Amino acid sequence: MSECGVREPLNQWFRDYLTGRSYRVQVGSALSDERQVSCGVPQGSYTGPVSYLMHVNSLCGVLRHCSAHMFADDLCILRAGNASELPDTCRLVQQDVNAVVRWSHDNGIVLNAEKTKLLLIRSPYLKMPNPSNPITTHDFSCMHNNLLDCHCNPISRVNCVTYLGLKVDEHFSWTHHVDFIYNKLRVLLGKFYYLRFKVPLHILKYLYVSLVESIIGYALDCYGLTTKTNLNKLESMQVRFLKLLVSNKTKDKNKKDYRNLFKICNILPVSLKHKYLIVFNNHGSREHTQLHRNDVCGTRSVSAGKFVVPRVSNYYGDRCLHKRLPYIFNSLPSDIRQEDNKVKFGKKLRSYLVNCIK
């Protein structure tokens, strides 16, 4: 806490708050002996999460070659490099992994080596062999012995890893995550078939928004950059839900084109919902305002207030956010694009996208 700027007397107050605590276990009417708590924070306390974040705040400072991305007790370290530089990249990553192990030992935190995974993100057209020197989470005793007679297991390389509820694959295709969402929705669809005969349609729509939309919308601004085939797969599942949210008369009337149900139910398909999220979340942000055209000549793009769309050389570049964001902004009408109020911008944007459903 002192490293984070918490000085006396507040620091001393927290020391007294965390010191001298004990716990016991009760089974039925039997109580165990009391044991002193030597580490940790009181369970369920308001200050517990913040205290933990203060405790791990210095972890990112030990990394010298990788970037760190942390959320609570999850740590992801990234290092970029070319295929020809794979041995050097692995060597630098190994140095940072060793630094994390040392930091964990010095700060009383156990690093779970079994849950630690290695993911080599690459193009599907690029063959990437296994590293000649595998990355290993050496325990502290092994490093203290200068890695002599090391029997530590290397980090297992996987083609997909789950991070914060997202299934990230080695090609950034998001196919595994789309399949994961599709299977969750398929299970939920069976429950909706049953509920349709039990609750009114307007209640069923509330359930759809709270259950289905929450599953689809989680991290959609990330995995929505996947292929059109994957998005069509989720939209077909959405249509199956929407057929349960309308009357039989309405369903029969739109039998030739069930996509009309999106506009009838005022629900955005996955592809348009993705556009809404990335544009709304970046409204007024520096990421896209810096892309504003500043040509000397009075071109149409300048008069329309459009943005510069960077050139890309491959399919992966076309799916990157720095390309997609200005491209989508330029496709919007000027009155929506130039709206400064974020609330009004969101309402206009959603209304425009609903009208774009075909």
Side-chain angles (χ1 to χ4, degrees):
M1 289 184 173
S2 179
E3 294 177 357
C4 296
V6 180
R7 308 302 184 193
E8 302 294 344
L10 186 59
N11 195 312
Q12 184 61 35
W13 184 90
F14 266 102
R15 180 185 298 275
D16 183 71
Y17 168 71
L18 296 172
T19 304
R21 291 184 173 269
S22 62
Y23 71 95
R24 56 167 51 180
V25 179
Q26 179 178 358
V27 179
S29 58
L31 284 173
S32 67
D33 297 333
E34 287 191 1
R35 293 293 182 91
Q36 293 295 318
V37 178
S38 59
C39 63
V41 295
Q43 185 176 2
S45 63
Y46 288 104
T47 60
V50 179
S51 299
Y52 174 80
L53 293 178
M54 287 185 178
H55 188 62
V56 300
N57 185 60
S58 60
L59 174 56
C60 299
V62 303
L63 301 178
R64 294 291 180 266
H65 311 290
C66 302
S67 60
H69 302 267
M70 297 185 65
F71 183 84
D73 60 344
D74 285 324
L75 169 65
C76 173
I77 62 175
L78 300 177
R79 172 75 185 184
N82 297 325
S84 58
E85 302 171 348
L86 182 60
D88 291 335
T89 302
C90 291
R91 178 178 57 82
L92 297 177
V93 172
Q94 180 67 70
Q95 293 179 9
D96 278 354
V97 170
N98 293 343
V100 171
V101 173
R102 294 190 186 96
W103 183 95
S104 302
H105 178 271
D106 296 340
N107 290 272
I109 292 181
V110 178
L111 179 67
N112 195 330
E114 295 181 358
K115 290 186 177 180
T116 305
K117 305 299 179 183
L118 172 65
L119 184 67
L120 296 180
I121 301 175
R122 58 183 178 83
S123 168
Y125 306 105
L126 179 64
K127 293 183 179 180
M128 186 77 71
N130 286 320
S132 55
N133 295 321
I135 301 175
T136 305
T137 52
H138 300 286
D139 55 39
F140 188 76
S141 59
C142 179
M143 290 191 294
H144 188 70
N145 198 29
N146 295 324
L147 307 182
L148 298 177
D149 193 24
C150 175
H151 299 286
C152 301
N153 295 324
I155 299 175
S156 59
R157 177 184 173 184
V158 296
N159 59 5
C160 180
V161 64
T162 302
Y163 182 66
L164 302 181
L166 278 174
K167 293 189 176 294
V168 184
D169 60 274
E170 61 181 352
H171 303 315
F172 257 152
S173 65
W174 301 108
T175 300
H176 291 79
H177 188 69
V178 170
D179 293 339
F180 173 70
I181 294 177
Y182 184 86
N183 292 332
K184 289 181 68 175
L185 295 179
R186 187 170 59 180
V187 174
L188 200 58
L189 182 65
K191 304 184 187 305
F192 269 68
Y193 273 116
Y194 176 78
L195 288 173
R196 189 189 185 196
F197 302 99
K198 302 294 182 180
V199 298
L201 292 179
H202 71 280
I203 299 297
L204 201 62
K205 185 175 180 180
Y206 288 144
L207 292 174
Y208 172 86
V209 173
S210 60
L211 299 177
V212 179
E213 288 287 301
S214 60
I215 295 175
I216 295 176
Y218 178 72
L220 178 57
D221 48 348
C222 293
Y223 80 84
L225 295 168
T226 184
T227 61
K228 187 176 181 180
T229 302
N230 285 334
L231 294 181
N232 289 339
K233 184 177 181 179
L234 293 181
E235 288 187 7
S236 65
M237 177 59 72
Q238 277 186 291
V239 170
R240 296 173 66 180
F241 276 99
L242 296 183
K243 289 163 66 176
L244 302 176
L245 303 182
V246 297
S247 62
N248 291 330
K249 182 179 179 180
T250 303
K251 184 172 62 174
D252 294 337
K253 185 178 179 180
N254 296 274
K255 195 171 184 179
K256 293 183 179 180
D257 187 7
Y258 283 126
R259 283 188 62 87
N260 293 329
L261 298 179
F262 284 106
K263 186 176 293 187
I264 294 173
C265 297
N266 195 27
I267 292 174
L268 291 175
V270 174
S271 57
L272 294 182
K273 187 176 178 65
H274 166 249
K275 290 183 179 181
Y276 173 83
L277 286 177
I278 62 175
V279 172
F280 181 78
N281 292 339
N282 289 277
H283 176 265
S285 65
R286 186 173 56 184
E287 284 75 7
H288 80 266
T289 53
Q290 287 184 337
L291 299 174
H292 201 283
R293 296 180 62 93
N294 55 357
D295 302 46
V296 177
C297 301
T299 62
R300 293 181 179 179
S301 297
V302 173
S303 61
K306 292 189 175 182
F307 302 92
V308 176
V309 179
R311 295 183 179 181
V312 295
S313 58
N314 53 36
Y315 182 69
Y316 278 90
D318 183 68
R319 285 164 48 193
C320 290
L321 186 60
H322 77 280
K323 163 65 184 303
R324 289 282 100 195
L325 186 59
Y327 179 81
I328 296 175
F329 262 108
N330 290 345
S331 65
L332 300 176
S334 59
D335 63 317
I336 299 178
R337 189 170 59 251
Q338 297 173 1
E339 177 60 58
D340 295 330
N341 188 287
K342 191 169 185 177
V343 176
K344 294 181 180 179
F345 174 81
K347 291 180 179 179
K348 290 182 179 180
L349 177 62
R350 180 178 177 81
S351 177
Y352 170 77
L353 293 177
V354 170
N355 293 327
C356 290
I357 299 175
K358 297 179 181 180

